[in-house]
Amino acid sequence: MIKSVCRIGRCALLLTIVASDITAQPASDASARRPHVIIITIDGFPARALKDPQLPMPTLRSLISSGAVSSGMLPINPTVTWPNHTTIITGVNASQHFVMANGLIVLPPDGSALKVEPWVDKDKLVHARTLYDAAAETGLTTGQVDWVAIYGANNVRWQFAEKPDVNDDIPKELIARGLVTHDQIEHFSQNSSSAWRDQVWTDAAVDIIEKHSPDLMLFHLLATDSIQHQYAPLTPAAYSAYAYADLCLARIVEAARAAGTLDQTTFFILSDHGFATSTHTISPNVALINQGLIQKKGDSYTGSAWVKAEGGVAELFIRDASRRAELVPKLKAYFATVAGIEHVYTNQEELALGLPAEANTDQAPQLYLAAAPGYSFSDDTTGELTRTNPPGGVHGYLNSMSDMEALFVASGAAIKPGIVLGPIPNLRVAPTVAKILGLQLPDAKQPPLLEILR
Ligand SMILES: [Zn+2]
């Protein structure tokens, strides 16, 4: 108890130091020194939460007052974690990077249900040049903690992964410092709370920043997503998660100060998507079973068409390409009649949403079902097609839904103070970071946010 009070007190002191250090930094000094960039994502933090004058996030407020904030950052479709984290560091959308879920969508050859495999090499999953690739190729150093779609990436020097490897340098350092045990690393996600994982990930990010000062650091906080899924956004539980994320954020800023790099560091505090509340669940696979496209065999199901639910959208894949001409119009017409489904897009129509063409990747769904507000999708194969549920948090909806708007705050060495932006696409983050670090991302076509840069 005393420890946590001290920690809060330390953060309050830190805020004063941060604000004065950042605002007092002359542009000429900042540009004369080697720049550092720290990108921090607070998973699922909804931009609309910023409108509350009692939002318990003093560190974020301090960084906003000394930097730039957007009224809402537009995520890409699908408004899901891995696709948007990938866009934040590539500057291209899913039509180019092909990340359509929290991992690689696998269509098993035996016709069984779709799977999403997260632990595949980044080179197989991400079809775009990343900021850390560009940084490493120009001799800059890189670090990441709990970033996603980054498994096996060669160009990350210091890391503590979402699924940490006890043989990596940073887990070894944390074990040596007594912050975590060997056993806890090996069973990191088993029976552990999202708050504890965020705490250890913050310990790891602090360790990397203080000891190794990477030029580019990527850091992802996740508890806000888990809590909002369970309890819905803007609830008392969600507010506690926002406040905790702010304490973690304060520790990152303090780590840059302890490393002596604060006056060269630019912080981007972002979220990957917003959150909405759902009270009805649609299970499209139940409809595919009813139509005979999925059959039960023993204890399992096999089928020629399967849906992968992503919250507010459902991605429908027809494995056999020869059946697509027959099934696409039939299933589009059917799902358009289901209450709670707002629109059904064919793959050709998905292109306007920034989704990939089926000719380019097997990650492109043949149909994309978009839920109406209050509805969401599940992968279930049993039960009713549509059921009511207690209010829960969902994302994945079309990026045109205002509840999906994400957080954008930039503050520190390269950023002008007191800038308030209207809506911006998250496609502009990577070009802005590239501009600060002097990197090239030729496929990222959106302009950097020059209006926020000193
Ligand atoms: Zn997320």
Side-chain angles (χ1 to χ4, degrees), residues 80 86 110 134 141 339 360-361 376 378 411:
V80 170
T86 303
D110 64 0
T141 55
N360 295 340
T361 171
S376 62
S378 89
S411 194

Side-chain angles (χ1 to χ4, degrees), residues 17-250:
I17 297 164
V18 169
S20 60
D21 277 9
I22 289 173
T23 52
Q25 181 60 54
S28 56
D29 279 4
S31 58
R33 298 176 189 179
R34 183 168 170 156
H36 292 247
V37 169
I38 301 178
I39 301 177
I40 300 161
T41 50
I42 301 175
D43 200 303
F45 183 89
R48 61 198 164 116
L50 285 180
K51 293 176 185 166
D52 181 355
Q54 293 178 305
L55 179 72
M57 300 185 76
T59 312
L60 187 65
R61 285 192 193 292
S62 174
L63 292 165
I64 289 171
S65 68
S66 59
V69 62
S70 161
S71 59
M73 183 166 75
L74 189 70
I76 61 140
N77 290 311
T79 57
V80 170
T81 301
W82 289 36
N84 275 282
H85 275 77
T86 303
T87 291
I88 285 168
I89 59 163
T90 61
V92 302
N93 64 21
S95 74
Q96 288 174 270
H97 64 51
F98 299 165
V99 182
M100 287 292 289
N102 292 337
L104 190 73
I105 298 168
V106 178
L107 295 80
D110 64 0
S112 57
L114 300 179
K115 295 175 189 162
V116 174
E117 176 52 58
W119 311 121
V120 296
D121 276 353
K122 167 261 176 187
D123 287 344
K124 283 187 185 166
L125 183 62
V126 178
H127 297 265
R129 178 176 168 86
T130 68
L131 283 169
Y132 59 79
D133 289 322
E137 285 166 16
T138 54
L140 302 183
T141 55
T142 57
Q144 75 93 0
V145 172
D146 189 37
W147 203 260
V148 292
I150 200 168
Y151 185 76
N154 292 324
N155 285 325
V156 178
R157 174 63 186 90
W158 309 106
Q159 70 169 335
F160 188 106
E162 178 157 7
K163 187 173 113 178
D165 184 339
V166 77
N167 296 312
D168 279 346
D169 292 339
I170 301 303
K172 282 184 189 168
E173 286 186 15
L174 296 199
I175 293 168
R177 291 174 60 188
L179 293 169
V180 66
T181 66
H182 187 284
D183 189 60
Q184 285 173 330
I185 296 284
E186 290 213 310
H187 306 96
F188 193 68
S189 295
Q190 293 174 17
N191 302 315
S192 64
S193 68
S194 60
W196 179 79
R197 292 193 294 275
D198 268 7
Q199 180 221 298
V200 175
W201 282 322
T202 306
D203 289 340
V206 166
D207 184 88
I208 292 173
I209 293 165
E210 287 188 356
K211 289 211 174 86
H212 307 292
S213 291
D215 299 299
L216 173 66
M217 178 72 196
L218 309 175
F219 177 46
H220 172 212
L221 287 165
L222 191 51
T224 40
D225 184 77
S226 325
I227 297 295
Q228 290 183 102
H229 274 301
Q230 190 167 353
Y231 298 102
L234 306 171
T235 54
Y239 269 76
S240 297
Y242 305 153
Y244 182 59
D246 196 78
L247 290 175
C248 296
L249 176 58

